[in-house]
């Protein structure tokens, strides 16, 4: 009953209202004279410095889903759940130079989305449309997953009802408030709230990893309890506190594939493009691995939950359990009510920041690469901003609908599909920043091949509760190998994407098919703050008087 959690509910509600107020105030924080422009509403004026960018990108990548799902996976499967730690370390060196180049060319040309860059680089509206649609489709379930984190907290506090409307009403109210202040303040709202969100998470996790081991008999007892659980249940031979020969390949490919996908997501790129200059990005790519330390500590909460005897709350379907409630139940059992309320607020606010950025990123993709490209080419900056605001509302409604009308467990599986989907933009976006060797036709055909194979492989993956789309671990035996090992679907799909793109490029070049005009120049990829911009729609030949970059 919710009355038994009254203190937790009060603390949670007060902190939630505090950040909501900050979201509305953010419209006046570092605000320009005119917010009716995507540069201002959708990218915060491209003016965020080191600290703001650090909190914004960190708040964008380390979400409520991370807070509840990573330890839940460790609780259920053991060592496999730690794949999130190496991939958040590997990613930063990989994207260090890539994101600097993307920021520079976007700064020079006024690009708002990765599809804007692809449109100019390869002179292909079709390829840009595919990148935009891919980004929107991959982002939608990610937003829905933030609701899963909030639902886990509300369920633990007893804020549920007997029917679908009563059960989801708190989430609907929360996202209505989120939609209101995001509509008004744009990217400035999550940027300001991220300070509070990250501070709460750091405090909660540091207290937990110091306090809980003392209560549970030390780290040795915690790991012994975890090992005993996996040996006793043996539901899956791959579960355990150590990896084995069967799941090592899956672990490596999942970590590496997730790293490649992480900064291809539109919301990740939005946070980067909001930075003031290249140095801000470089410093952040050097400092962001500090979040990986916290992520490792968050993952250990799964083992602590095992040692403390946590039982997950019932799931949506009869006889199932909701492992996403493991961390909230752990805090409810082991901490005073007031501190549990703070922890719940950290999870809830941790959902609002990325959800806001994701909805803005998806809205920008629709506005720039669908609405302006195909529906209203002469749209003014004010019209673009207005369409993006409205689209961001629609995106949030769609995310809420995913939770209300679908089994939440299914929406979690959709996130795995999202990673496979967004990886198919790697050749055009990430490699396109370094080379234009791939022909636009090759990239389109490669995208189709990678997407088709990825969806087929995901369809073949079964789980205990679903015959198809049951995860992203594809059994190599399906390819004819005599092994029980699995591999991450995304890695195979993007490898096929690249191979097909290369073969088609060679074929169309031999046939002398038109390649289009590259709308960028080599020095665009090194431009920095203060360098002259190319006005949107300006012909590059007519802009030869532009000063070269030093």
């Amino acid at each position: 009953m919710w009355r038994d959690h009254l203190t937790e509910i009060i603390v949670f509600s007060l902190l939630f209202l505090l950040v909501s107020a900050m979201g509305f105030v953010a419209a006046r924080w570092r605000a320009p004279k005119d917010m009716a422009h995507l540069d201002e509403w959708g990218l915060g004026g491209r003016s965020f410095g080191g600290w703001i960018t650090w909190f914004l990108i960190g708040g964008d990548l380390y979400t409520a889903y991370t807070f509840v799902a990573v330890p839940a996976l460790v609780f259920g499967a053991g060592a496999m759940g730690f794949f999130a730690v190496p991939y958040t370390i590997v990613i930063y060196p990989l994207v260090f130079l890539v994101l600097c180049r993307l920021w520079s060319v976007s700064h020079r040309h006024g690009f708002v989305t990765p599809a804007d860059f692809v449109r100019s680089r390869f002179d292909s509206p079709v390829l840009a449309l595919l990148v935009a649609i891919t980004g929107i489709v991959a982002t939608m379930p990610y937003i829905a997953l933030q609701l899963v984190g909030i639902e886990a907290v509300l369920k633990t506090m007893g804020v549920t009802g007997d029917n679908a409307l009563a059960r989801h009403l708190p989430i609907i109210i929360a996202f209505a408030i989120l939609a209101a202040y995001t509509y008004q303040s744009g990217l400035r709202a999550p940027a300001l709230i991220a300070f509070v969100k990250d501070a709460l998470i750091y405090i909660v996790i540091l207290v937990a990893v110091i306090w809980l081991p003392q209560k549970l008999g030390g780290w040795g007892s915690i790991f012994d309890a975890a090992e005993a659980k996996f040996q006793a249940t043996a539901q899956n031979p791959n579960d355990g506190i150590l990896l084995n020969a069967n799941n090592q390949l899956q672990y490596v490919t999942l970590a590496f594939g997730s790293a490649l996908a992480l900064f291809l997501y539109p919301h990740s790129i939005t946070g980067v493009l909001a930075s003031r200059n290249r140095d801000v990005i470089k410093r952040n790519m050097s400092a962001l691995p500090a979040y990986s330390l916290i992520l490792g500590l968050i993952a250990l909460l799964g083992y602590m939950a095992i040692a403390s005897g946590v039982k997950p709350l019932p799931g949506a379907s009869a006889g199932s359990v909701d492992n996403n409630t493991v961390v909230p139940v752990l805090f409810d059992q082991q901490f005073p009510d007031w501190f549990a309320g703070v922890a719940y607020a950290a999870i809830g606010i941790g959902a609002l920041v990325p959800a806001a950025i994701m909805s803005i990123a998806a809205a920008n993709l629709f506005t720039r690469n669908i609405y302006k490209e195909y529906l209203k080419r002469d749209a003014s900056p004010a019209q673009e901003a207005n369409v993006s605001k409205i689209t961001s509302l629609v995106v949030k409604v769609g995310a809420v609908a995913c939770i209300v009308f679908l089994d939440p467990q299914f929406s979690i599986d959709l996130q795995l599909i999202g990673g496979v989907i967004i990886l198919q933009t790697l050749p055009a976006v990430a490699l396109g920043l370094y080379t234009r060797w791939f022909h636009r036709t090759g990239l389109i055909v490669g995208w189709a091949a990678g997407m088709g194979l990825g969806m087929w492989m995901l369809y073949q993956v079964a789980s205990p509760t679903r015959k198809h789309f049951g995860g992203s671990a594809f059994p190599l035996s399906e390819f004819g190998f005599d092994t029980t090992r699995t591999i991450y679907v995304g890695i195979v799909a993007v490898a096929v994407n690249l191979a097909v793109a290369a073969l088609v490029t060679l074929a169309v070049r031999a046939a002398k098919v038109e390649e289009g005009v590259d709308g960028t120049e080599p020095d665009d990829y090194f431009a920095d703050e203060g360098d002259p911009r190319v006005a949107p729609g300006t012909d590059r030949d007519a802009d030869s008087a532009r000063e070269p970059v030093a």
Side-chain angles (χ1 to χ4, degrees):
M1 288 290 294
W2 65 269
R3 293 182 181 84
D4 298 329
H5 302 275
L6 187 59
T7 301
E8 297 169 357
I9 294 172
I10 291 174
V11 173
F12 174 86
S13 300
L14 289 176
L15 288 173
F16 189 90
L17 291 174
L18 170 64
V19 299
S20 298
M22 292 176 64
F24 287 106
V25 171
R28 300 183 180 181
W29 175 58
R30 302 167 61 95
K33 293 181 179 179
D34 183 14
M35 281 280 285
H37 196 291
L38 278 188
D39 270 11
E40 297 297 342
W41 184 84
L43 292 179
R46 303 180 189 256
S47 62
F48 293 158
W51 279 107
I52 299 174
T53 301
W54 193 75
F55 281 104
L56 179 65
I57 296 178
D60 185 14
L61 301 181
Y62 299 88
T63 68
Y65 178 64
T66 303
F67 206 120
V68 299
V70 171
L73 183 56
V74 171
F75 177 88
M80 194 66 195
F82 283 92
F83 84 93
V85 178
Y87 100 66
T88 57
I89 297 173
V90 169
I91 180 60
Y92 299 111
L94 287 176
V95 304
F96 187 94
L97 296 177
V98 172
L99 290 184
C100 286
R101 293 175 71 91
L102 179 60
W103 183 92
S104 291
V105 70
S106 299
H107 168 78
R108 177 63 63 80
H109 289 267
F111 297 151
V112 176
T113 70
D116 283 347
F117 161 71
V118 170
R119 172 72 169 85
S120 180
R121 177 67 152 163
F122 296 100
D123 193 17
S124 175
V126 173
L127 183 59
L129 177 64
L130 292 177
V131 170
I133 293 175
T134 302
I136 294 171
V137 171
T139 300
M140 284 296 294
Y142 222 146
I143 302 174
L145 287 175
Q146 306 316 308
L147 298 175
V148 173
I150 298 179
E151 267 208 335
V153 167
L154 296 175
K155 186 184 294 186
T156 305
M157 291 191 297
V159 185
T160 57
D162 297 329
N163 55 66
L165 179 60
R167 186 168 64 252
H168 296 296
L169 185 60
I171 287 182
I172 294 173
I173 294 173
F175 256 55
I177 296 173
L178 169 68
Y181 66 66
T182 304
Y183 184 93
Q184 175 178 316
S185 304
L187 195 64
R188 286 172 171 81
L192 186 59
I193 294 172
F195 285 93
V196 177
K197 174 252 188 187
D198 287 356
L200 286 175
I201 288 180
Y202 270 91
I203 291 171
V204 168
I205 295 304
L206 291 176
V207 169
V209 298
I210 294 173
W211 173 257
L212 287 177
Q214 296 182 31
K215 291 192 65 177
L216 300 174
W219 287 108
S221 297
I222 291 172
F223 282 101
D224 287 344
E227 185 173 17
K229 176 206 170 183
F230 292 121
Q231 289 179 347
T233 56
Q235 293 180 352
N236 186 330
N238 293 333
D239 294 348
I241 64 172
L242 295 176
L243 298 173
N244 57 50
N246 285 333
N247 59 15
Q248 288 172 355
L249 179 63
Q250 171 68 16
Y251 183 91
V252 171
T253 54
L254 179 58
F256 184 64
S258 299
L260 294 177
L262 189 61
F263 271 94
L264 289 171
Y265 277 105
H267 54 275
S268 302
I269 292 175
T270 295
V272 170
L273 296 186
S275 304
R276 184 170 60 230
N277 54 43
R278 288 169 62 95
D279 284 342
V280 167
I281 300 171
K282 292 178 180 179
R283 291 197 300 270
N284 271 275
M285 292 305 106
S286 301
L288 278 169
Y291 275 98
S292 299
L293 170 63
I294 292 295
L295 181 58
L297 299 177
I298 290 174
L300 288 172
L301 292 175
Y303 286 157
M304 296 181 201
I306 294 174
S308 64
V310 165
K311 302 296 182 184
L313 297 178
S317 56
S320 66
V321 295
D322 185 0
N323 279 342
N324 290 313
T325 60
V326 164
V327 169
V329 172
L330 174 66
F331 279 98
D332 182 53
Q333 293 180 355
Q334 298 294 333
F335 286 97
D337 289 349
W338 69 268
F339 189 80
V342 173
Y344 297 161
I347 297 174
I349 297 168
L352 297 183
V353 172
I357 304 172
M358 291 170 190
S359 64
I360 290 170
N364 289 346
L365 280 168
F366 174 82
T367 301
R368 290 296 292 261
N369 308 115
I370 298 177
Y371 174 77
K372 186 175 177 64
E373 181 75 39
Y374 294 98
L375 302 178
K376 190 173 178 60
R377 286 184 174 272
D378 60 345
S380 66
Q383 289 174 323
E384 285 185 13
N386 189 53
V387 169
S388 199
K389 289 179 179 180
I390 295 172
T391 305
S392 73
L393 299 179
V394 175
V395 168
K396 293 183 184 72
V397 171
V400 173
C402 286
I403 295 299
V404 173
F405 297 108
L406 296 178
D407 183 343
Q409 184 61 45
F410 182 64
S411 65
I412 291 172
D413 292 336
L414 284 178
Q415 195 273 336
L416 299 175
I417 299 173
V420 176
I421 291 174
I422 199 65
L423 264 176
Q424 306 317 309
T425 65
L426 185 146
V429 178
L431 297 185
L433 288 165
Y434 277 93
T435 178
R436 200 173 180 269
W437 182 85
F438 289 102
H439 193 282
R440 56 188 179 183
T441 304
L443 290 171
I444 292 171
V445 177
W447 176 91
M451 196 69 71
L453 177 64
M455 291 302 101
W456 176 83
M457 292 174 68
L458 288 168
Y459 182 80
Q460 302 301 317
V461 177
S463 73
T465 58
R466 189 170 296 107
K467 292 183 179 180
H468 305 290
F469 296 106
S472 60
F474 186 81
L476 288 176
S477 58
E478 292 286 336
F479 286 142
F481 294 97
D482 185 17
T483 179
T484 57
R485 294 185 179 186
T486 58
I487 190 170
Y488 176 52
V489 171
I491 286 292
V492 179
V494 77
V496 170
N497 182 340
L498 286 167
V500 171
L503 291 174
V504 173
T505 293
L506 293 174
V508 296
R509 285 238 170 85
K512 297 182 180 181
V513 177
E514 175 63 37
E515 295 190 35
V517 178
D518 185 356
T520 69
E521 292 184 354
D523 66 344
D524 290 341
Y525 298 90
F526 301 95
D528 206 346
E529 182 183 19
D531 288 331
R533 287 193 181 188
V534 177
T538 300
D539 185 88
R540 293 304 302 242
D541 295 334
D543 195 48
S544 58
R546 178 171 55 84
E547 296 181 8
V549 178

